[in-house]
Amino acid sequence: MLSNLRIFAVNHKKIPSLHINDMYYSRIRAGLKRIKPYVPLGRNYSSLPGLIGNDIKSLHSIINPPISKIRNIGIMAHIDAGKTTTTERILYYSGYTRSLGDVDDGDTVTDFMAQERERGITIQSAAVTFDWKGYRVNLIDTPGHVDFTLEVERCLRVLDGAVAVFDASAGVEAQTLTVWRQADKHKIPRICFLNKMDKTGASFNYAVESIKEKLKAKPLLLQLPIGEAKTFKGVVDVVNKEKLLWNPNSDDGKDFERKPLLEMSDPKLLKETTEARNALIEQVADLDDEFADLVLGEFSENFDLLPAEKLQTAIHRVTLAQTAVPVLCGSALKNKGVQPLLDAITMYLPSPEERSYEFLQWYKGDLCALAFKVLHDKQRGPLVFMRIYSGMIKPQLAIHNINGNCTERISRLLLPFADQHIEIPSLTAGNIALTVGLKHTATGDTIVSSKSSALAAARRAEREGEKKHRQNGDAERLLLAGVEVPEPVFFCTIEPPSVAKQPDLDHALKCLQREDPSLKVRLDPDSGQTILCGMGELHIEILHDRIKREYGLETYLGPLQVAYRETILNSVRATDTLDRNLGDRRHLVTVELEAKPVETSSIVPVIEYAENVSEDILKGSQEAIENGIHSACLQGKVLRTIAWIPNSRCGNYFTFTDNSSWYLFNYDFCLCLKMCTKGSEES
């Protein structure tokens, strides 16, 4: 027993080896029947990834499963529809976690940021990788708040399918429409999950009707609820004509039974299910010609004889064609309906090879990946999430960034598990990777193996474009696929606690901008303020809190200062005398200044000198005079009255010496400066 455990641990840690030695295989298998394996990961598995029953696959298949067995999916919904709770149950039932987390308790896997756990909302997307019945699932939990819509956008850009979660009592909500349109833009096949069927006011029919009316989609009812609100206790599998009932005494929802519907025990439910199945068959037949031929040819007289496998295959094709969306229901919080949802994800959503990406033909199997997210880790530095479309990524691999036109080297390769990751030796096409060591790669950058590979792909695209009479720009668009960043809608100023902390603030903002492309930072030329431009008040509030927690800066947010414009309405004349000793020199100067409006508008002031101003005085003071006048145009007399000479403030009048700085009114006026010297010891 002990020797079997020791051998297993050694071979499991030796990840770079591709196959487990056959000599060890039988010994490990015998040992697994008697002991529960331990996997040294950050979070404990209840079963090994890649284990199905007592069968052990090679480590190569665990890390790089067949591409047909990969599912890249996202969870999207309106805020508070239950995305994170559904994700938490998925991870628990798949064996990734040993306990059920709760959003209210702040212990969920994907909401690991302090701000997320305090507010009980998802702020940034989190990727997790797990296995379900022989399938590798790369899942991304996305935010539901409108301020973080870019997180949804850049994740959908690299996913092959999505699960749209709905609150069964509310149906389609505001942000549901937004994320649905984003999925439409990227042509993402979807599954609908009507969550919170146990909630007071939950209505299956109302939610389905809202999908029809508001989303203009064709729902395929694969399940029917058994009860609603407080009476909800299970679901009916319409395809297989079975009922799934969860044990009310079970705390985690793992204990449920699947029973066939019988005429004797459930006559009413069987009748409803038969009608729903017949309607489903007719609906799918209208959308899929191959299935229609099958139904009309062999099963036209009795739909009950149609095998469930044939119907499931047809639903898969319809889902991929995006002509309809399968609909399932359950309650993630009450641990009901999540396992059938996982089965539907692997059964109906596409694998990477079933998605059509035209640009892949230019690369001929070479590396082609898209960087869709960047995080900053205090120990590892920038972490770049990549979707690999073709080729393979390994540690110490040199890659070429087409957008940045630079070459970088990947130091480490990780498999994402929310905030904890596992280091791996390689990752193939169809997977989502986490890379360490890329200093210049940003969101939306296209990654290839080398510059020559990019040039070769461009030539192939150009030749193909000439055959199809396309323009060269079309080929470039295929090669440089990116993420569309929305324009900011909320603006405020940010200031460091002191001038000495300004470089630290600039560094923090630079890092946050690389992580979040929807954050824009600019310097206002009129006020000199640093302006934060974001997607909403909550967005800026979260960034402000992150600067404080992660970078240790107590910054201050404030409103924008309005850049008022002032002009001269009437002529005005002022005279002032300066009599001062500077060192061993006495300066005695009288200044007479006149400001008046001009007929034509001018951006810069027109400066004229009186005839009695001597050239000797202008020779030493003209530059200071004109610099001061031009600087004065940046500030208004009404907004703030500032007139000063170094170490002296002179009220509303304007005096000057060499190298003085002084401010005047704004533009659209003419200056007539008259200056005479009444006397000085040294001028």
Side-chain angles (χ1 to χ4, degrees):
M1 172 73 73
L2 185 58
S3 62
N4 291 334
L5 176 61
R6 187 180 298 114
I7 291 168
F8 176 81
V10 170
N11 280 272
H12 179 74
K13 288 182 179 179
K14 193 177 179 182
I15 289 179
S17 62
L18 298 182
H19 297 281
I20 297 176
N21 193 295
D22 292 336
M23 179 179 67
Y24 292 71
Y25 177 83
S26 60
R27 301 178 68 184
I28 296 170
R29 184 169 181 176
L32 283 173
K33 295 179 180 178
R34 299 187 295 274
I35 63 172
K36 194 170 188 178
Y38 169 72
V39 183
L41 295 178
R43 297 184 185 272
N44 293 330
Y45 278 89
S46 60
S47 61
L48 272 173
L51 287 181
I52 303 176
N54 288 331
D55 184 25
I56 300 179
K57 297 181 178 180
S58 69
L59 290 178
H60 184 273
S61 67
I62 293 174
I63 297 172
N64 290 307
I67 193 169
S68 61
K69 295 290 185 179
I70 297 175
R71 297 292 184 271
N72 296 312
I73 67 164
I75 306 289
M76 62 181 195
H78 183 82
I79 188 171
D80 202 31
K83 299 179 299 301
T84 302
T85 303
T86 303
T87 303
E88 192 68 23
R89 271 50 179 176
I90 286 174
L91 296 178
Y92 178 73
Y93 297 133
S94 64
Y96 174 51
T97 55
R98 291 187 180 275
S99 61
L100 289 169
D102 191 88
V103 173
D104 295 331
D105 296 336
D107 58 355
T108 57
V109 174
T110 52
D111 285 353
F112 53 84
M113 291 177 61
Q115 294 84 355
E116 292 177 316
R117 295 187 169 181
E118 289 174 359
R119 292 168 171 81
I121 62 173
T122 301
I123 293 172
Q124 68 174 14
S125 56
V128 289
T129 302
F130 62 91
D131 294 316
W132 177 258
K133 297 183 178 180
Y135 288 85
R136 166 61 49 82
V137 181
N138 299 312
L139 183 146
I140 298 180
D141 180 25
T142 63
H145 200 284
V146 66
D147 284 20
F148 311 108
T149 186
L150 177 69
E151 288 288 328
V152 184
E153 175 76 21
R154 62 179 173 182
C155 290
L156 290 177
R157 171 66 186 82
V158 298
L159 295 174
D160 300 318
V163 177
V165 181
F166 299 80
D167 184 338
S169 64
V172 176
E173 299 175 86
Q175 190 64 9
T176 313
L177 290 165
T178 302
V179 298
W180 195 270
R181 283 194 294 265
Q182 289 174 314
D184 283 338
K185 181 172 69 173
H186 296 293
K187 300 179 180 179
I188 304 294
R190 276 144 278 178
I191 287 177
C192 296
F193 180 62
L194 305 184
N195 191 27
K196 301 188 178 183
M197 284 300 303
D198 64 310
K199 184 179 178 181
T200 302
S203 172
F204 181 81
N205 293 330
Y206 169 76
V208 171
E209 285 300 318
S210 69
I211 292 174
K212 289 181 183 178
E213 295 177 5
K214 296 182 180 180
L215 301 181
K216 309 302 179 185
K218 296 180 179 179
L220 302 176
L221 304 186
L222 306 188
Q223 290 180 349
L224 297 176
I226 302 177
E228 290 181 346
K230 294 181 179 180
T231 62
F232 178 71
K233 57 182 179 179
V235 299
V236 173
D237 185 346
V238 174
V239 176
N240 294 292
K241 298 175 71 173
E242 296 175 336
K243 64 178 180 180
L244 286 73
L245 297 175
W246 274 260
N247 186 349
N249 298 322
S250 175
D251 294 332
D252 59 3
K254 283 188 175 182
D255 185 10
F256 70 97
E257 56 181 355
R258 181 186 291 266
K259 293 182 178 179
L261 292 173
L262 301 176
E263 182 69 33
M264 296 180 61
S265 58
D266 303 293
K268 184 178 179 180
L269 193 58
L270 177 61
K271 181 181 178 181
E272 293 178 3
T273 305
T274 302
E275 293 175 354
R277 190 175 191 269
N278 293 341
L280 175 64
I281 292 172
E282 293 176 358
Q283 194 175 3
V284 175
D286 290 339
L287 301 172
D288 186 79
D289 293 338
E290 182 180 343
F291 182 70
D293 294 339
L294 177 67
V295 171
L296 295 176
E298 301 180 29
F299 307 101
S300 58
E301 296 181 0
N302 189 356
F303 286 168
D304 292 340
L305 300 177
L306 179 68
E309 294 77 13
K310 299 288 186 182
L311 179 55
Q312 289 167 347
T313 303
I315 294 173
H316 177 75
R317 290 196 299 267
V318 168
T319 305
L320 263 61
Q322 300 169 56
T323 52
V325 288
V327 176
L328 298 93
C329 62
S331 172
L333 185 62
K334 299 298 182 181
N335 311 315
K336 297 175 183 178
V338 178
Q339 294 94 328
L341 175 63
L342 275 167
D343 293 334
I345 287 171
T346 58
M347 192 178 301
Y348 301 123
L349 292 180
S351 66
E353 64 181 358
E354 292 176 304
R355 296 274 286 159
S356 176
Y357 298 108
E358 188 178 359
F359 60 87
L360 289 183
Q361 60 182 308
W362 318 137
Y363 288 96
K364 302 294 184 182
D366 287 343
L367 174 63
C368 177
L370 179 69
F372 67 93
K373 185 178 175 67
V374 180
L375 292 178
H376 279 84
D377 187 270
K378 291 183 179 179
Q379 284 74 35
R380 300 187 181 103
L383 304 178
V384 180
F385 285 83
M386 288 188 186
R387 164 66 193 272
I388 308 172
Y389 289 101
S390 67
M392 178 183 289
I393 289 181
K394 295 181 179 180
Q396 305 305 319
L397 176 70
I399 55 94
H400 180 70
N401 185 332
I402 295 181
N403 299 65
N405 193 26
C406 63
T407 300
E408 298 186 90
R409 186 175 298 277
I410 297 173
S411 60
R412 298 170 65 192
L413 186 63
L414 308 172
L415 206 58
F417 289 102
D419 59 336
Q420 301 185 24
H421 319 291
I422 179 172
E423 191 165 355
I424 52 176
S426 65
L427 210 57
T428 54
N431 283 287
I432 291 176
L434 187 58
T435 60
V436 182
L438 303 181
K439 305 296 185 184
H440 306 290
T441 302
T443 298
D445 287 353
T446 303
I447 305 300
V448 296
S449 57
S450 63
K451 190 172 184 178
S452 59
S453 174
L455 294 174
R459 286 193 294 268
R460 296 189 194 104
E462 188 175 353
R463 286 197 298 267
E464 187 67 22
E466 290 175 355
K467 292 179 182 178
K468 296 183 179 180
H469 305 288
R470 291 178 178 173
Q471 296 180 352
N472 292 337
D474 199 12
E476 293 176 3
R477 180 180 60 82
L478 292 173
L479 290 169
L480 303 177
V483 178
E484 184 178 342
V485 180
E487 290 296 322
V489 296
F490 188 86
F491 307 88
C492 71
T493 62
I494 184 168
E495 295 180 359
S498 63
V499 177
K501 294 292 185 180
Q502 185 65 47
D504 295 334
L505 176 60
D506 293 339
H507 171 71
L509 292 175
K510 183 179 179 180
C511 293
L512 290 173
Q513 281 187 94
R514 190 179 176 194
E515 286 189 27
D516 185 1
S518 64
L519 170 66
K520 302 288 194 305
V521 180
R522 61 181 176 86
L523 187 67
D524 191 303
D526 294 321
S527 64
Q529 295 176 308
T530 301
I531 310 297
L532 292 185
C533 314
M535 301 306 299
E537 187 174 0
L538 178 62
H539 183 205
I540 298 298
E541 181 184 335
I542 296 297
L543 291 169
H544 182 230
D545 191 50
R546 288 188 63 188
I547 291 173
K548 178 181 178 181
R549 294 181 190 237
E550 299 175 21
Y551 298 92
L553 293 175
E554 191 72 47
T555 54
Y556 305 99
L557 299 181
L560 298 183
Q561 179 178 319
V562 180
Y564 291 103
R565 292 290 183 256
E566 302 171 18
T567 189
I568 299 296
L569 297 178
N570 302 306
S571 297
V572 62
R573 179 175 297 188
T575 303
D576 194 29
T577 300
L578 171 69
D579 188 356
R580 171 174 296 182
N581 292 324
L582 297 177
D584 57 349
R585 297 181 179 181
R586 181 190 178 205
H587 295 265
L588 178 61
V589 180
T590 298
V591 179
E592 183 180 353
L593 182 145
E594 180 183 9
K596 63 182 180 180
V598 293
E599 296 180 357
T600 59
S601 178
S602 175
I603 297 178
V604 295
V606 179
I607 302 174
E608 298 177 357
Y609 296 92
E611 296 180 356
N612 61 344
V613 177
S614 66
E615 293 184 1
D616 293 337
I617 294 178
L618 285 179
K619 187 175 181 180
S621 305
Q622 184 174 2
E623 183 178 356
I625 293 171
E626 296 187 0
N627 285 341
I629 292 174
H630 286 295
S631 298
C633 294
L634 301 177
Q635 303 289 337
K637 178 86 166 56
V638 175
L639 181 64
R640 78 174 59 161
T641 302
I642 301 177
W644 61 280
I645 301 176
N647 302 320
S648 175
R649 188 171 295 275
C650 304
N652 294 332
Y653 297 99
F654 297 89
T655 60
F656 62 90
T657 60
D658 291 349
N659 301 320
S660 65
S661 298
W662 49 305
Y663 300 87
L664 201 62
F665 317 116
N666 222 336
Y667 43 138
D668 296 342
F669 63 87
C670 170
L671 282 176
C672 182
L673 185 63
K674 300 179 179 179
M675 182 174 67
C676 61
T677 305
K678 291 190 175 179
S680 65
E681 294 180 358
E682 293 185 32
S683 316

